[in-house]
């Protein structure tokens, strides 16, 4: 819990039990991309009494503070992941909604080259591939 307290203080957030619990949940979750509802359900299953409105408010605060990254994949709902500072792209399985992280140096270089060919310097990007299993 000391690590979470330090992280919250470092980004200028007051240490509160709901914030600590939500940060712990995001850091320890097997699933790296969680909706507010996923976080809420996991907290309830763990016996933590944190309301859904509080979860939404805290996740928005975490996003503003740079602790989490919000993704809006097709389907309309937001998912959050801990901001680890490493760049990666995503694949979303259209049949299950599962989010798969990947990094590919060729894609990264190609995107920079395309931006340069159009007279721009790439500063950031988001790549999401929507996939389904190949038929055998």
């Amino acid at each position: 819990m000391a690590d979470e307290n330090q992280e919250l203080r470092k980004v200028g957030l007051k240490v509160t039990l709901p914030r600590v619990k939500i940060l712990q949940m995001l850091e320890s979750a097997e699933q790296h991309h969680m909706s507010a509802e996923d976080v809420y359900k996991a907290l309830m299953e763990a016996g933590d009494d944190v309301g859904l409105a509080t979860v939404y408010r805290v996740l928005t605060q975490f996003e503003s503070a740079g602790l989490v990254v919000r993704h809006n994949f097709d389907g309309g709902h937001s998912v959050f992941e801990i901001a680890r500072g490493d760049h990666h792209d995503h694949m979303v399985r259209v049949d299950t909604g599962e989010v798969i992280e990947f990094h590919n140096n060729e894609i990264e270089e190609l995107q920079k080259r395309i931006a340069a060919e159009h007279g721009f310097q790439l500063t950031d990007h988001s790549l999401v591939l929507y996939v389904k299993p190949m038929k055998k």
Side-chain angles (χ1 to χ4, degrees):
M1 188 184 293
D3 289 343
E4 288 83 6
N5 291 355
Q6 189 174 358
E7 279 186 72
L8 291 171
R9 284 191 192 102
K10 188 168 65 175
V11 296
L13 291 173
K14 184 177 173 186
V15 176
T16 64
L17 190 58
R19 286 181 181 144
V20 170
K21 293 286 186 186
I22 292 168
L23 188 55
Q24 285 175 335
M25 182 62 59
L26 289 168
E27 288 178 335
S28 66
E30 199 172 295
Q31 180 183 337
H32 289 153
H33 302 85
M34 298 179 77
S35 68
E37 293 83 3
D38 294 334
V39 172
Y40 173 72
K41 287 177 193 168
L43 289 167
M44 293 301 288
E45 289 171 8
D48 294 314
D49 187 25
V50 178
L52 183 57
T54 300
V55 172
Y56 274 105
R57 187 176 65 256
V58 168
L59 288 172
T60 301
Q61 292 167 346
F62 284 0
E63 179 186 15
S64 295
L67 287 175
V68 300
V69 177
R70 178 191 305 248
H71 299 286
N72 294 301
F73 300 128
D74 276 359
H77 73 286
S78 298
V79 294
F80 299 85
E81 70 175 311
I82 293 289
R84 297 189 187 345
D86 64 328
H87 172 75
H88 58 270
D89 294 305
H90 298 93
M91 290 187 285
V92 178
R93 283 188 58 164
V94 295
D95 56 338
T96 65
E98 176 189 6
V99 179
I100 302 136
E101 296 178 355
F102 74 95
H103 180 84
N104 182 289
N105 287 330
E106 284 182 72
I107 291 173
E108 298 303 315
E109 290 305 315
L110 180 58
Q111 291 173 117
K112 289 176 189 172
R113 195 169 74 232
I114 290 169
E117 288 169 1
H118 287 85
F120 297 98
Q121 178 182 355
L122 185 64
T123 59
D124 194 13
H125 77 276
S126 174
L127 175 65
V128 181
L129 305 175
Y130 295 91
V131 300
K132 63 182 181 181
M134 295 177 70
K135 294 183 179 176
K136 294 179 182 183

